[in-house]
């Protein structure tokens, strides 16, 4: 049973570019959340998708957008990249009632030059 | 505002010694609390969770945590640390009233294990 998978593993971009990160949730999970983890920090919530709609959003600008597909997989898009967007981007999936633990992928390391 | 504080940024213990990592939370309702571990270059692995009931919860890899409402704490413990426990540890509280509330994380504690 595959866990949460993310691609790519690493990515290098330059300022002003756009990037798309992908996530496949754990089998049976229907909800995907995205987190940004800057170096030396705890993860920060970006947004969450359920039934192909954004259900919650953290304190991130509109440059960060996402999508969820009918098969529950998800994409995170970031436009007009800034140096400060360099981070580990984590995808987490979950299902069911409140409190079901979120399972995390290994993340995508995004470096902005 | 809901928050999680991990007072110790870095802890070093000798292999075989006991371990306690501190976590304090600020949350208005009954909290759902978690401890995750992150090895270098990896994602987060769930160690244990507290939802309700017994305030002492057991997790994987020999870890346990105790929920103390009066102290707003959820400290992680292990009686005997192994070298492979060296990693970053995050405490988190679930914020939200429906499934898929967002997790609010502490800043993390880096555990170093001396041989």
């Amino acid at each position: 049973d595959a866990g949460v998978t993310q691609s790519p593993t690493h990515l290098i971009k330059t300022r002003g570019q756009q990037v798309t990160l992908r996530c496949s949730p754990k089998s049976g999970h229907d909800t995907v959340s995205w987190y940004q983890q800057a170096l030396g920090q705890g993860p920060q919530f970006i947004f969450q998708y359920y039934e192909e709609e954004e259900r919650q959003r953290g304190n991130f600008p509109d440059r960060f957008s996402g999508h969820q597909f009918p098969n529950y997989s998800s994409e995170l898009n970031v436009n007009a990249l800034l140096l400060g967007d360099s981070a580990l981007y984590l995808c987490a999936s979950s299902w069911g009632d409140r409190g079901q633990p979120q399972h995390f992928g290994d993340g995508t390391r995004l470096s902005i030059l | 505002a809901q928050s999680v504080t991990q007072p110790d940024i870095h802890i070093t213990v000798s292999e075989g010694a006991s371990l306690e990592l501190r976590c304090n939370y600020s949350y208005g309702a009954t909290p759902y609390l978690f401890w995750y571990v992150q090895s270098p270059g990896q994602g987060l692995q769930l160690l244990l969770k507290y939802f309700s009931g017994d305030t002492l919860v057991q997790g994987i890899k020999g870890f346990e945590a105790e929920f103390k409402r009066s102290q707003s704490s959820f400290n992680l413990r292990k009686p005997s640390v192994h070298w492979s426990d060296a990693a970053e540890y995050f405490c988190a509280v679930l914020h939200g009233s429906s499934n898929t509330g967002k997790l609010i994380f502490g800043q993390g504690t880096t555990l170093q294990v001396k041989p």
Side-chain angles (χ1 to χ4, degrees), chain B residues 43-84:
Chain B
L44 302 176
Q45 181 183 21
L46 179 69
L47 286 176
L48 47 78
K49 60 184 186 289
Y50 171 78
F51 291 165
S52 63
D54 194 348
T55 56
L56 184 63
V57 294
Q58 302 297 320
I60 62 172
K61 303 184 180 186
F63 285 94
E64 66 178 26
E66 186 171 13
F67 170 64
K68 292 185 178 180
R69 184 186 299 275
S70 62
Q71 299 177 21
S72 297
S73 68
F74 188 57
N75 294 347
L76 182 71
R77 301 195 294 248
K78 186 170 185 178
S80 178
V81 170
H82 188 263
W83 63 266
S84 61

Side-chain angles (χ1 to χ4, degrees), chain A residues 31 37 48 56 96 98-99 102, chain B residues 36 38 51 96 99-101 103:
Chain A
T31 303
Q37 185 179 20
Q48 185 176 85
Q56 290 192 70
R98 176 176 184 258
Q102 297 181 19
Chain B
Y36 285 86
Q38 185 177 37
F51 291 165
N99 174 31
T100 71
L103 288 170

